């Protein structure tokens, strides 16, 4: 197998294996298995749930003995078959010649959770069973979901599976390899799957792309690369050859890709979820609406150019992210020029250590960069005071801005505001937020001062100070935002919670 470090850098995955094996406790394989379970938990749900234990036997219902099901049209029978677990759907062929025709015309749905032995030591035959299932079905393939199988030592079954999927027009593919090893090559036939609309790949070494054999992903709308070894060149080539791609997610990637450069005329959502990217550059993406990060402890620049429709951004971590907009590095306290503004942004989420002057001062600067912001999520991170000279004096000295004057309606705090500098920020937003209507706080004991302050402002016009009129304060568990919300365009605010536990006052 080819080393991961073929671009001159270190073999990142070899280092990970060595690191795991050098630690006390779980082996490298056990550690990666835990990562695999986490990754699979992020995936969209299966089209057909896995079969449960057989129900208890009951007396058969009394009927008239007539076969009513066979009276249904073939199209409806095909829908019924498509909702059965794969083995049960295949068994319908023994019922009659007509049912064999229905089975052949029904687009195939394969899920390894439906196949015997998918849980436990019998996963080796399941790797072959998935391949045979696709090969033997005479009709088209709608969806294949494989998350419990190791293809190690079963390269032939894997190659056959992908070749058949390409030939039979698979539309939806979730293909994960249960390691070991963690750098198993993915066959090049994946690039021929021209009918794909959704593709999630997990724990593979992605094949190289060359000009002679570019990917045929003309219909692909959703792409997820989970713990995959993908060179920067391949990511760039994928974006260039996916003219309808709307959702891109890079999840738990270590070292490759090292730099995510997003250039796409169709992309609407880009997600970097717990990866170790060195840099994220977004340019010439006229349809991009969401740029979302869940960053591990690696510093990186975030460069944004040409995003006229960007509405959602976060979580920006002031300690890790170096933000650049329109070629201008955003610094605390700077005079914000028009080129460094994103008027389309409506929702911003930030992580800030208020005890650090530079991080605290970034907040009012960002409010000027995003003048039409309507929802602000703030995750305060407790830290030892580096310096606290700003405290109340800094926040009291600040004037208003267009964002606070006209647009900011909701402030959601994902944690506690208890130190002087944190309370000063809250007072500033309440004082200057003339459009502010709601504040959401976490139901934590240390938040009592913040809650008392906000509740005292409810319904008041604050005419003397020019402040807004807060009409709602609520308590909610707001630290559990999930990956699926990040990529689900039907969720208006991916950082919010649906369940407000306790409305107050």
């Amino acid at each position: 197998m080819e080393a991961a470090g073929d671009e001159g850098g270190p073999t990142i995955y070899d280092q990970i294996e060595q690191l795991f094996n050098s630690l006390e406790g779980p082996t490298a394989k056990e550690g990666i298995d835990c990562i695999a379970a986490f990754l699979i938990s992020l995936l969209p749900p299966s089209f057909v749930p896995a079969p449960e234990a057989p129900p208890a036997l009951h007396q058969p219902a009394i009927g008239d003995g007539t076969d009513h099901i066979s009276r249904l049209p073939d199209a409806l029978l095909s829908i019924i078959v498509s909702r059965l677990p794969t083995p049960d759907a295949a068994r319908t062929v023994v019922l009659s010649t007509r049912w064999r025709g229905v089975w052949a015309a029904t687009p195939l749905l394969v899920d390894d959770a439906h196949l015997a032995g998918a849980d436990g030591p019998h996963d080796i035959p399941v790797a072959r069973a998935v391949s045979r299932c696709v090969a033997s079905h005479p009709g088209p393939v709608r969806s294949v979901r494989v998350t419990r199988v190791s293809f190690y030592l079963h390269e032939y079954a894997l190659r056959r599976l992908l070749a058949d999927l390409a030939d039979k027009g698979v539309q939806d593919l979730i293909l994960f390899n249960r390691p070991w090893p963690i750098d198993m090559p993915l066959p090049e036939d994946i690039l021929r799957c021209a009918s794909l609309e959704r593709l999630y790949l997990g724990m593979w070494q992605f094949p190289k792309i060359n000009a002679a054999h570019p990917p045929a992903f003309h219909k692909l709308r959703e792409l997820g690369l989970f713990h995959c070894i993908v060179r920067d060149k391949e990511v760039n080539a994928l974006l260039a050859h996916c003219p309808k791609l709307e959702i891109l997610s890079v999840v738990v990637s270590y070292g490759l890709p090292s730099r995510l450069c997003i250039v796409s005329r169709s992309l609407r959502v880009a997600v970097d979820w717990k990866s170790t990217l060195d840099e994220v550059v977004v340019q010439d993406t006229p349809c991009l609406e969401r740029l979302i990060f869940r960053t591990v402890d690696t510093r990186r620049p975030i460069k944004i150019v040409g995003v006229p429709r960007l509405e959602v951004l976060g979580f920006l971590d002031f300690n890790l992210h170096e933000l650049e907009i329109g070629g201008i590095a955003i610094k605390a306290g700077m005079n914000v020029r028009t080129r460094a503004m994103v008027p389309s942004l409506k929702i911003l989420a930030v992580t800030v250590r208020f005890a650090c002057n530079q991080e605290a001062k970034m907040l009012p600067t960002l409010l000027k960069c995003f003048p039409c912001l309507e929802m602000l999520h703030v995750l305060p991170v407790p830290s030892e005071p580096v310096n606290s000279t700003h405290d109340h004096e800094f926040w009291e000295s600040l004037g208003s801005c267009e964002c606070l004057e006209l647009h900011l309606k909701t402030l959601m705090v994902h944690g506690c505001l208890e130190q002087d500098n944190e309370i000063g920020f809250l007072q500033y937003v309440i004082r200057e937020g003339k459009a502010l209507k709601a504040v959401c706080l976490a139901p934590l004991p240390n938040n009592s001062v913040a809650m008392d302050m906000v509740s005292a402002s409810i319904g008041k016009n604050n005419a003397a100070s020019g402040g807004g009129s807060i009409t709602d304060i609520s308590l909610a568990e707001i630290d559990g935002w999930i990956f699926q919300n990040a990529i689900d365009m039907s969720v208006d605010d991916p950082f919010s919670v649906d369940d407000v536990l306790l409305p107050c006052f």
Side-chain angles (χ1 to χ4, degrees):
M1 294 185 183
E2 187 174 351
D6 61 349
E7 292 186 316
T11 307
I12 301 296
Y13 283 78
D14 285 349
Q15 294 177 344
I16 294 172
E17 180 178 352
Q18 294 173 9
L19 173 62
F20 273 119
N21 286 328
S22 68
L23 300 175
E24 295 182 2
T27 64
K29 183 179 184 304
E30 291 169 338
I32 297 297
D33 282 342
C34 290
I35 294 176
F38 166 72
L39 295 176
I40 291 168
S41 72
L42 303 179
L43 290 172
S46 175
F47 281 115
V48 181
E52 299 178 356
L57 295 177
H58 298 285
Q59 286 295 110
I62 299 175
D64 58 7
T66 304
D67 182 6
H68 295 286
I69 293 180
S70 295
R71 296 180 178 179
L72 298 174
D74 285 359
L76 187 54
L77 291 179
S78 182
I79 293 174
I80 293 172
V81 171
S82 71
R83 281 158 172 71
L84 296 174
T86 307
D88 296 337
R91 292 187 185 105
T92 61
V93 301
V94 304
L95 298 177
S96 68
T97 302
R98 184 189 178 199
W99 279 98
R100 285 197 292 273
V102 170
W103 163 248
T106 300
L108 183 66
L109 298 176
V110 178
D111 190 328
D112 64 351
H114 300 162
L115 303 176
D119 289 310
H122 303 294
D123 61 347
I124 291 179
V126 173
R128 299 171 186 165
V130 171
S131 178
R132 292 170 183 168
C133 183
V134 172
S136 62
H137 185 68
V141 178
R142 179 188 175 191
S143 173
V144 172
R145 180 187 180 98
V146 180
T147 62
R148 306 180 179 207
V149 173
S150 172
F151 286 97
Y152 184 52
L153 300 180
H154 297 281
E155 287 90 346
Y156 174 76
L158 175 62
R159 289 196 302 270
R160 182 183 179 188
L161 171 64
L162 286 176
D164 287 336
L165 290 177
D167 294 337
K168 295 189 176 186
V170 62
Q171 298 175 16
D172 189 293
L173 177 59
I174 297 177
L175 185 62
F176 275 54
N177 178 51
R178 284 287 192 168
W180 209 249
I182 57 180
D183 59 349
M184 184 169 180
L186 185 65
E188 293 182 358
D189 277 319
I190 188 66
L191 304 176
R192 293 199 301 111
C193 295
S195 297
L196 276 173
E197 297 179 10
R198 184 174 73 168
L199 175 63
Y200 281 87
L201 297 173
M203 294 165 286
W204 298 103
Q205 180 170 307
F206 198 83
K208 291 183 179 180
I209 297 175
N210 57 61
H213 301 286
F217 294 153
H218 310 300
K219 298 181 180 180
L220 192 66
R221 296 183 180 276
E222 188 171 341
L223 174 63
L225 301 172
F226 284 47
H227 205 273
C228 285
I229 303 173
V230 191
R231 299 188 310 162
D232 297 350
K233 293 179 181 179
E234 268 60 64
V235 176
N236 297 340
L238 283 172
L239 290 174
H241 290 88
C242 296
K244 295 185 178 180
L245 189 66
E246 296 183 354
I247 299 173
L248 170 68
S249 52
V250 178
V251 181
V252 190
S253 174
Y254 296 149
L256 290 175
S258 61
R259 178 179 184 267
L260 184 60
C261 182
I262 301 174
V263 179
S264 171
R265 306 295 295 178
S266 61
L267 198 67
R268 299 176 64 194
V269 180
V271 179
D272 163 21
W273 196 269
K274 295 190 175 182
S275 296
T276 59
L277 298 169
D278 295 330
E279 183 180 47
V280 176
V281 179
V282 183
Q283 59 187 29
D284 194 19
T285 52
C287 296
L288 190 69
E289 299 175 33
R290 296 185 177 186
L291 181 58
I292 295 178
F293 306 94
R294 189 154 191 169
T295 304
V296 293
D297 293 336
T298 54
R299 298 187 63 85
R300 72 191 62 171
I302 307 294
K303 300 179 180 180
I304 302 173
V305 182
V307 285
R309 296 179 59 182
L310 186 65
E311 295 185 356
V312 179
L313 176 63
F315 264 89
L316 281 180
D317 190 325
F318 295 160
N319 184 48
L320 299 177
H321 297 147
E322 301 169 3
L323 182 62
E324 184 178 301
I325 302 175
I328 299 174
I330 307 303
K331 303 294 184 182
M334 65 180 287
N335 291 323
V336 178
R337 290 183 282 170
T338 303
R339 198 174 70 183
M341 295 182 182
V342 184
S344 60
L345 200 77
K346 299 295 188 294
I347 299 172
L348 173 66
V350 297
T351 298
V352 55
R353 294 154 183 80
F354 281 94
C356 174
N357 268 350
Q358 288 302 108
E359 292 192 32
K361 290 180 179 180
M362 275 292 290
L363 276 170
T365 301
L366 286 184
L367 294 181
K368 296 175 183 177
C369 292
F370 310 122
C372 298
L373 193 68
E374 296 178 359
M375 166 75 80
L376 175 61
H377 295 265
V378 176
L379 173 60
V381 178
S383 61
E384 293 295 326
V386 178
N387 45 55
S388 55
T389 57
H390 55 281
D391 284 359
H392 280 293
E393 293 81 1
F394 170 73
W395 297 109
E396 288 176 355
S397 67
L398 286 178
S400 190
C401 60
E402 180 181 344
C403 174
L404 294 175
E405 289 273 351
L406 301 175
H407 300 287
L408 188 66
K409 299 176 182 178
T410 305
L411 172 65
M412 184 170 285
V413 181
H414 298 236
C416 287
L417 298 179
E418 52 182 328
Q419 302 298 325
D420 285 348
N421 42 27
E422 298 166 345
I423 296 298
F425 158 73
L426 184 60
Q427 287 178 327
Y428 167 65
V429 175
I430 292 174
R431 183 183 76 243
E432 301 295 343
K434 294 180 181 179
L436 191 65
K437 297 298 181 183
V439 175
C440 189
L441 301 171
L444 301 171
N446 293 343
N447 252 351
S448 57
V449 174
M451 286 186 286
D452 290 344
M453 178 193 308
V454 178
S455 62
S457 303
I458 290 183
K460 294 182 180 180
N461 209 22
N462 291 335
S465 62
S469 178
I470 300 175
T471 58
D472 179 56
I473 176 176
S474 58
L475 302 182
E477 297 287 355
I478 52 181
D479 59 350
W481 68 291
I482 60 175
F483 173 79
Q484 280 302 313
N485 282 355
I487 63 173
D488 187 350
M489 293 299 293
S490 68
V491 177
D492 293 333
D493 183 353
F495 309 114
S496 288
V497 290
D498 299 324
D499 184 20
V500 175
L501 301 180
L502 180 63
C504 299
F505 315 102

PDB file of all heavy atoms in Angstrom, residues 20-41:
ATOM      1  N   PHE A  20      -0.531   5.412  18.823  1.00  0.00           N
ATOM      2  CA  PHE A  20      -1.489   4.559  19.526  1.00  0.00           C
ATOM      3  C   PHE A  20      -0.784   3.389  20.198  1.00  0.00           C
ATOM      4  O   PHE A  20      -1.074   3.047  21.348  1.00  0.00           O
ATOM      5  CB  PHE A  20      -2.546   4.032  18.555  1.00  0.00           C
ATOM      6  CG  PHE A  20      -3.730   4.952  18.376  1.00  0.00           C
ATOM      7  CD1 PHE A  20      -4.021   5.483  17.137  1.00  0.00           C
ATOM      8  CD2 PHE A  20      -4.543   5.272  19.442  1.00  0.00           C
ATOM      9  CE1 PHE A  20      -5.110   6.323  16.964  1.00  0.00           C
ATOM     10  CE2 PHE A  20      -5.629   6.113  19.281  1.00  0.00           C
ATOM     11  CZ  PHE A  20      -5.911   6.641  18.043  1.00  0.00           C
ATOM     12  N   ASN A  21       0.134   2.763  19.477  1.00  0.00           N
ATOM     13  CA  ASN A  21       0.807   1.579  20.024  1.00  0.00           C
ATOM     14  C   ASN A  21       1.759   1.918  21.156  1.00  0.00           C
ATOM     15  O   ASN A  21       2.104   1.054  21.967  1.00  0.00           O
ATOM     16  CB  ASN A  21       1.558   0.847  18.908  1.00  0.00           C
ATOM     17  CG  ASN A  21       0.622   0.093  17.979  1.00  0.00           C
ATOM     18  OD1 ASN A  21      -0.423  -0.389  18.414  1.00  0.00           O
ATOM     19  ND2 ASN A  21       0.991  -0.006  16.711  1.00  0.00           N
ATOM     20  N   SER A  22       2.216   3.183  21.224  1.00  0.00           N
ATOM     21  CA  SER A  22       3.136   3.572  22.286  1.00  0.00           C
ATOM     22  C   SER A  22       2.416   3.903  23.587  1.00  0.00           C
ATOM     23  O   SER A  22       3.042   4.006  24.637  1.00  0.00           O
ATOM     24  CB  SER A  22       3.959   4.793  21.842  1.00  0.00           C
ATOM     25  OG  SER A  22       3.120   5.941  21.730  1.00  0.00           O
ATOM     26  N   LEU A  23       1.091   4.067  23.498  1.00  0.00           N
ATOM     27  CA  LEU A  23       0.323   4.439  24.679  1.00  0.00           C
ATOM     28  C   LEU A  23      -0.103   3.208  25.465  1.00  0.00           C
ATOM     29  O   LEU A  23      -0.269   2.118  24.911  1.00  0.00           O
ATOM     30  CB  LEU A  23      -0.922   5.239  24.269  1.00  0.00           C
ATOM     31  CG  LEU A  23      -0.675   6.553  23.525  1.00  0.00           C
ATOM     32  CD1 LEU A  23      -2.002   7.158  23.093  1.00  0.00           C
ATOM     33  CD2 LEU A  23       0.098   7.536  24.402  1.00  0.00           C
ATOM     34  N   GLU A  24      -0.300   3.401  26.752  1.00  0.00           N
ATOM     35  CA  GLU A  24      -0.858   2.329  27.567  1.00  0.00           C
ATOM     36  C   GLU A  24      -2.348   2.211  27.281  1.00  0.00           C
ATOM     37  O   GLU A  24      -3.021   3.188  26.949  1.00  0.00           O
ATOM     38  CB  GLU A  24      -0.628   2.616  29.051  1.00  0.00           C
ATOM     39  CG  GLU A  24       0.829   2.627  29.473  1.00  0.00           C
ATOM     40  CD  GLU A  24       0.986   2.857  30.966  1.00  0.00           C
ATOM     41  OE1 GLU A  24      -0.049   2.966  31.655  1.00  0.00           O
ATOM     42  OE2 GLU A  24       2.139   2.917  31.428  1.00  0.00           O
ATOM     43  N   GLY A  25      -2.856   1.006  27.412  1.00  0.00           N
ATOM     44  CA  GLY A  25      -4.283   0.813  27.207  1.00  0.00           C
ATOM     45  C   GLY A  25      -4.568   0.223  25.847  1.00  0.00           C
ATOM     46  O   GLY A  25      -3.902  -0.731  25.412  1.00  0.00           O
ATOM     47  N   PRO A  26      -5.549   0.800  25.108  1.00  0.00           N
ATOM     48  CA  PRO A  26      -5.979   0.197  23.842  1.00  0.00           C
ATOM     49  C   PRO A  26      -4.861   0.169  22.805  1.00  0.00           C
ATOM     50  O   PRO A  26      -3.986   1.025  22.778  1.00  0.00           O
ATOM     51  CB  PRO A  26      -7.118   1.124  23.377  1.00  0.00           C
ATOM     52  CG  PRO A  26      -7.552   1.848  24.604  1.00  0.00           C
ATOM     53  CD  PRO A  26      -6.337   1.977  25.468  1.00  0.00           C
ATOM     54  N   THR A  27      -4.896  -0.844  21.945  1.00  0.00           N
ATOM     55  CA  THR A  27      -3.958  -0.926  20.834  1.00  0.00           C
ATOM     56  C   THR A  27      -4.361   0.083  19.762  1.00  0.00           C
ATOM     57  O   THR A  27      -5.409   0.723  19.836  1.00  0.00           O
ATOM     58  CB  THR A  27      -3.976  -2.338  20.235  1.00  0.00           C
ATOM     59  OG1 THR A  27      -5.284  -2.586  19.689  1.00  0.00           O
ATOM     60  CG2 THR A  27      -3.658  -3.390  21.291  1.00  0.00           C
ATOM     61  N   ALA A  28      -3.488   0.198  18.748  1.00  0.00           N
ATOM     62  CA  ALA A  28      -3.802   1.109  17.648  1.00  0.00           C
ATOM     63  C   ALA A  28      -5.099   0.702  16.967  1.00  0.00           C
ATOM     64  O   ALA A  28      -5.938   1.537  16.640  1.00  0.00           O
ATOM     65  CB  ALA A  28      -2.642   1.113  16.653  1.00  0.00           C
ATOM     66  N   LYS A  29      -5.283  -0.590  16.743  1.00  0.00           N
ATOM     67  CA  LYS A  29      -6.498  -1.051  16.076  1.00  0.00           C
ATOM     68  C   LYS A  29      -7.725  -0.719  16.901  1.00  0.00           C
ATOM     69  O   LYS A  29      -8.758  -0.264  16.379  1.00  0.00           O
ATOM     70  CB  LYS A  29      -6.415  -2.547  15.822  1.00  0.00           C
ATOM     71  CG  LYS A  29      -7.628  -3.102  15.064  1.00  0.00           C
ATOM     72  CD  LYS A  29      -7.480  -4.584  14.816  1.00  0.00           C
ATOM     73  CE  LYS A  29      -8.640  -5.114  13.968  1.00  0.00           C
ATOM     74  NZ  LYS A  29      -9.948  -4.828  14.575  1.00  0.00           N
ATOM     75  N   GLU A  30      -7.644  -0.931  18.211  1.00  0.00           N
ATOM     76  CA  GLU A  30      -8.796  -0.623  19.073  1.00  0.00           C
ATOM     77  C   GLU A  30      -9.082   0.872  19.076  1.00  0.00           C
ATOM     78  O   GLU A  30     -10.248   1.292  19.084  1.00  0.00           O
ATOM     79  CB  GLU A  30      -8.527  -1.131  20.493  1.00  0.00           C
ATOM     80  CG  GLU A  30      -8.505  -2.644  20.604  1.00  0.00           C
ATOM     81  CD  GLU A  30      -7.970  -3.131  21.940  1.00  0.00           C
ATOM     82  OE1 GLU A  30      -7.244  -2.354  22.613  1.00  0.00           O
ATOM     83  OE2 GLU A  30      -8.260  -4.274  22.311  1.00  0.00           O
ATOM     84  N   GLY A  31      -8.025   1.684  19.044  1.00  0.00           N
ATOM     85  CA  GLY A  31      -8.228   3.134  19.014  1.00  0.00           C
ATOM     86  C   GLY A  31      -8.907   3.586  17.742  1.00  0.00           C
ATOM     87  O   GLY A  31      -9.829   4.406  17.757  1.00  0.00           O
ATOM     88  N   ILE A  32      -8.463   3.048  16.598  1.00  0.00           N
ATOM     89  CA  ILE A  32      -9.072   3.408  15.332  1.00  0.00           C
ATOM     90  C   ILE A  32     -10.497   2.883  15.243  1.00  0.00           C
ATOM     91  O   ILE A  32     -11.381   3.521  14.659  1.00  0.00           O
ATOM     92  CB  ILE A  32      -8.229   2.888  14.155  1.00  0.00           C
ATOM     93  CG1 ILE A  32      -6.855   3.559  14.173  1.00  0.00           C
ATOM     94  CG2 ILE A  32      -8.917   3.160  12.830  1.00  0.00           C
ATOM     95  CD1 ILE A  32      -6.902   5.067  13.990  1.00  0.00           C
ATOM     96  N   ASP A  33     -10.757   1.726  15.829  1.00  0.00           N
ATOM     97  CA  ASP A  33     -12.125   1.202  15.854  1.00  0.00           C
ATOM     98  C   ASP A  33     -13.060   2.158  16.589  1.00  0.00           C
ATOM     99  O   ASP A  33     -14.222   2.332  16.207  1.00  0.00           O
ATOM    100  CB  ASP A  33     -12.165  -0.173  16.502  1.00  0.00           C
ATOM    101  CG  ASP A  33     -11.679  -1.266  15.558  1.00  0.00           C
ATOM    102  OD1 ASP A  33     -11.640  -1.008  14.337  1.00  0.00           O
ATOM    103  OD2 ASP A  33     -11.348  -2.362  16.037  1.00  0.00           O
ATOM    104  N   CYS A  34     -12.559   2.789  17.644  1.00  0.00           N
ATOM    105  CA  CYS A  34     -13.379   3.777  18.365  1.00  0.00           C
ATOM    106  C   CYS A  34     -13.658   4.978  17.474  1.00  0.00           C
ATOM    107  O   CYS A  34     -14.779   5.521  17.466  1.00  0.00           O
ATOM    108  CB  CYS A  34     -12.664   4.219  19.639  1.00  0.00           C
ATOM    109  SG  CYS A  34     -12.585   2.951  20.922  1.00  0.00           S
ATOM    110  N   ILE A  35     -12.647   5.405  16.714  1.00  0.00           N
ATOM    111  CA  ILE A  35     -12.851   6.508  15.778  1.00  0.00           C
ATOM    112  C   ILE A  35     -13.886   6.114  14.729  1.00  0.00           C
ATOM    113  O   ILE A  35     -14.763   6.907  14.373  1.00  0.00           O
ATOM    114  CB  ILE A  35     -11.522   6.901  15.114  1.00  0.00           C
ATOM    115  CG1 ILE A  35     -10.561   7.479  16.148  1.00  0.00           C
ATOM    116  CG2 ILE A  35     -11.745   7.893  13.981  1.00  0.00           C
ATOM    117  CD1 ILE A  35      -9.189   7.806  15.605  1.00  0.00           C
ATOM    118  N   ALA A  36     -13.809   4.880  14.248  1.00  0.00           N
ATOM    119  CA  ALA A  36     -14.755   4.418  13.236  1.00  0.00           C
ATOM    120  C   ALA A  36     -16.182   4.465  13.762  1.00  0.00           C
ATOM    121  O   ALA A  36     -17.107   4.904  13.060  1.00  0.00           O
ATOM    122  CB  ALA A  36     -14.391   3.003  12.793  1.00  0.00           C
ATOM    123  N   ALA A  37     -16.379   4.020  14.998  1.00  0.00           N
ATOM    124  CA  ALA A  37     -17.722   4.049  15.575  1.00  0.00           C
ATOM    125  C   ALA A  37     -18.240   5.478  15.684  1.00  0.00           C
ATOM    126  O   ALA A  37     -19.423   5.748  15.427  1.00  0.00           O
ATOM    127  CB  ALA A  37     -17.709   3.374  16.946  1.00  0.00           C
ATOM    128  N   PHE A  38     -17.360   6.407  16.042  1.00  0.00           N
ATOM    129  CA  PHE A  38     -17.758   7.810  16.121  1.00  0.00           C
ATOM    130  C   PHE A  38     -18.155   8.342  14.745  1.00  0.00           C
ATOM    131  O   PHE A  38     -19.179   9.016  14.594  1.00  0.00           O
ATOM    132  CB  PHE A  38     -16.611   8.640  16.701  1.00  0.00           C
ATOM    133  CG  PHE A  38     -16.774  10.125  16.512  1.00  0.00           C
ATOM    134  CD1 PHE A  38     -17.715  10.832  17.241  1.00  0.00           C
ATOM    135  CD2 PHE A  38     -15.998  10.810  15.588  1.00  0.00           C
ATOM    136  CE1 PHE A  38     -17.871  12.196  17.054  1.00  0.00           C
ATOM    137  CE2 PHE A  38     -16.143  12.167  15.391  1.00  0.00           C
ATOM    138  CZ  PHE A  38     -17.093  12.865  16.134  1.00  0.00           C
ATOM    139  N   LEU A  39     -17.356   8.035  13.735  1.00  0.00           N
ATOM    140  CA  LEU A  39     -17.644   8.521  12.388  1.00  0.00           C
ATOM    141  C   LEU A  39     -18.986   8.004  11.886  1.00  0.00           C
ATOM    142  O   LEU A  39     -19.780   8.748  11.300  1.00  0.00           O
ATOM    143  CB  LEU A  39     -16.531   8.099  11.432  1.00  0.00           C
ATOM    144  CG  LEU A  39     -15.145   8.699  11.677  1.00  0.00           C
ATOM    145  CD1 LEU A  39     -14.143   8.102  10.710  1.00  0.00           C
ATOM    146  CD2 LEU A  39     -15.172  10.204  11.535  1.00  0.00           C
ATOM    147  N   ILE A  40     -19.229   6.737  12.114  1.00  0.00           N
ATOM    148  CA  ILE A  40     -20.476   6.134  11.640  1.00  0.00           C
ATOM    149  C   ILE A  40     -21.678   6.748  12.343  1.00  0.00           C
ATOM    150  O   ILE A  40     -22.758   6.881  11.751  1.00  0.00           O
ATOM    151  CB  ILE A  40     -20.420   4.610  11.828  1.00  0.00           C
ATOM    152  CG1 ILE A  40     -19.383   4.016  10.864  1.00  0.00           C
ATOM    153  CG2 ILE A  40     -21.781   3.960  11.608  1.00  0.00           C
ATOM    154  CD1 ILE A  40     -19.032   2.579  11.137  1.00  0.00           C
ATOM    155  N   SER A  41     -21.497   7.186  13.581  1.00  0.00           N
ATOM    156  CA  SER A  41     -22.604   7.821  14.301  1.00  0.00           C
ATOM    157  C   SER A  41     -23.006   9.148  13.674  1.00  0.00           C
ATOM    158  O   SER A  41     -24.108   9.651  13.924  1.00  0.00           O
ATOM    159  CB  SER A  41     -22.222   8.042  15.768  1.00  0.00           C
ATOM    160  OG  SER A  41     -21.255   9.092  15.895  1.00  0.00           O
TER     161      SER A  41
END
